[in-house]
Amino acid sequence: MNYDKENIFAKILRGEIPCEKVYEDEYVLSFRDINPQAKMHVLIIPKDQYIDIADFLQNADSQYQSCFWQSVNKIIDHLNLRSKGFQMKAHKGKDGGQEVFHFHLHLLSNN
Ligand code: AMP
């Protein structure tokens, strides 16, 4: 499977579709899920093009992976979640529940 540049998150990254942004830096964009499954439900996506988490872990270089996770760590503080409970998950593949084929983390909290 090749990365589809017309997927909805690619369009959000290019500014062609709006999003409710919560955080952005050089490496990631984070925005509210349009169909929240918890009191707080945000998505975190890398700015570079990876289809899913397995593609990211296999093909992103270690420096980019490190920067990505550092940004995730910043988002935990940005959303004041460090001392609270939350869920973080990634769907991989259609049979893993993935609908949008640009790697994203779901970050959910009811706190
Ligand atoms: P997944 O099933 O892991 O691929 O999750 C895709 C997520 O993207 C779902 O939770 C959708 O509600 C969410 N989503 C789809 N389109 C948008 C959008 N335009 N803005 C924000 N979230 C979206």
Side-chain angles (χ1 to χ4, degrees), residues 64-86:
Y64 190 76
Q65 292 202 31
S66 170
C67 291
F68 175 83
W69 291 111
Q70 283 174 45
S71 298
V72 172
N73 190 36
K74 285 180 194 164
I75 291 167
I76 288 168
D77 284 330
H78 185 74
L79 295 171
N80 200 25
L81 289 174
R82 190 160 302 277
S83 62
K84 299 178 182 168
F86 61 80

Side-chain angles (χ1 to χ4, degrees), residues 8-9 12 17-20 31-37 41 43 89-93 96-102 104-106:
I8 198 141
F9 295 168
I12 286 175
I17 290 177
C19 70
E20 202 181 323
F31 50 94
R32 296 200 185 277
D33 195 292
I34 206 165
N35 182 22
Q37 303 297 307
H41 184 176
L43 302 170
K89 59 182 183 172
H91 299 150
K92 190 266 186 247
Q98 187 174 7
E99 291 173 357
V100 180
F101 291 89
H102 179 111
H104 51 281
L105 295 173
H106 294 258

